[in-house]
Amino acid sequence: AGEVNITGRWLDLASAAPAALAVSLEPVLVANVSLVLPALDAHGAVAAASGVSLPLDAVDLVLEDGTVLLRAASLPWLPLSNLVAFASSEAQALAIDSVGVLTVLANSAGAPAVVSATSRDAGAARGDASAHVNLRPLAGDVDLGVDEGPPFDLWRDGPNGTRVADIRVAVHTGGVAFLLGNLQVDVRLDASQVAVTGCTTAAPWLTCVTNDPVGRVRIFGDSAVPWRGGEAVVLATIALEAEGSEPAAESAVGGTVVEMVVVEANSGLDVRFESA
């Protein structure tokens, strides 16, 4: 602890009077923590490919003495992990490490991920930010659900008191220059929670086979002429009905590209994607 006077000089100029800098050993608690999540789409979901790591856009701290530390994670002199502890309520979808770097892992299955930072001092000030995760597909991937916002927030009232939903099934061909030739995609659903009641394809050359076995949808076809290309080429829409009066808060759903052949528009060369 102590006090020191500081004078600034630049070329032949000097500060009119020294500034007094006081140093105290008495700790100052964190009074407020605020977080800003990265890579949010137009509907507020974290939108990135699985495995991508993203630092928080901001971690701002306000101390009890009024000191404001904006974007504290970027301050090289501040060991942020000593000040706050990070956590995620849905670590299987959106994990976070000790320095505030997020890792996108999976689509949100139900509730949004609540990312929190809690000060390690006696005040335990806490800041939260929440968002669903909507995975962005890589080339050769299946993309299920809506393309922005919560991926599976789809349930609505159906006939006779039922709850129904439609799930969009799309694939990433590698870009607009890579046109679909033929493919087989399998979609798996939890038959104890949802019933597949129909499937509508986006083109006459595509075929849907449902519930063989129960809870499985197979979409396949061979186009005589190379078809569409892009990051989200829609293949079909699967109709679902909840088993019971209300859909489960979380329900497992997944898709696999068993095989997909795309044609590069300029060269005419085939590119093949297959499941491991």
Side-chain angles (χ1 to χ4, degrees):
E3 186 173 304
V4 63
N5 292 324
I6 300 175
T7 300
R9 292 184 180 277
W10 185 72
L11 298 178
D12 58 347
L13 302 176
S15 55
L21 176 65
V23 180
S24 172
L25 296 180
E26 184 174 342
V28 179
L29 302 182
V30 176
N32 182 267
V33 182
S34 61
L35 310 177
V36 178
L37 296 175
L40 298 180
D41 64 24
H43 291 82
V46 175
S50 179
V52 168
S53 292
L54 302 163
L56 290 166
D57 270 3
V59 182
D60 298 336
L61 307 178
V62 179
L63 308 185
E64 285 190 335
D65 65 358
T67 301
V68 178
L69 302 174
L70 297 177
R71 300 189 179 276
S74 65
L75 300 175
W77 51 268
L78 183 67
L80 186 60
S81 60
N82 291 349
L83 287 183
V84 298
F86 293 100
S88 170
S89 65
E90 302 292 329
Q92 74 280 4
L94 189 64
I96 189 165
D97 67 13
S98 62
V99 295
V101 176
L102 297 164
T103 300
V104 177
L105 298 174
N107 279 314
S108 295
V114 179
V115 177
S116 63
T118 305
S119 66
R120 295 185 182 274
D121 58 33
R126 171 173 165 151
D128 294 335
S130 64
H132 287 87
V133 178
N134 193 327
L135 289 182
R136 288 292 175 261
L138 298 173
D141 281 350
V142 181
D143 189 23
L144 302 176
V146 296
D147 58 354
E148 288 190 337
F152 302 118
D153 187 16
L154 307 169
W155 294 101
R156 64 185 187 278
D157 291 334
N160 303 317
T162 59
R163 295 285 283 169
V164 298
D166 296 322
I167 287 187
R168 151 191 168 277
V169 182
V171 290
H172 188 329
T173 67
V176 293
F178 294 88
L179 308 178
L180 273 175
N182 62 68
L183 84 161
Q184 178 183 321
V185 170
D186 285 356
V187 179
R188 303 171 305 281
L189 302 115
D190 187 340
S192 68
Q193 296 179 339
V194 298
V196 177
T197 58
C199 180
T200 304
T201 61
W205 62 273
L206 290 166
T207 299
C208 261
V209 175
T210 63
N211 294 313
D212 184 20
V214 174
R216 177 74 57 87
V217 177
R218 178 161 295 162
I219 304 164
F220 61 93
D222 189 349
S223 177
V225 178
W227 201 51
R228 302 170 186 168
E231 295 184 2
V233 177
V234 177
L235 305 177
T237 301
I238 301 172
L240 305 177
E241 182 177 313
E243 296 286 8
S245 59
E246 282 295 325
E250 296 186 6
S251 181
V253 57
T256 302
V257 172
V258 178
E259 181 181 43
M260 180 169 68
V261 176
V262 299
V263 180
E264 205 282 318
N266 295 321
S267 67
L269 295 177
D270 290 352
V271 179
R272 183 181 298 272
F273 298 96
E274 293 180 323
S275 61

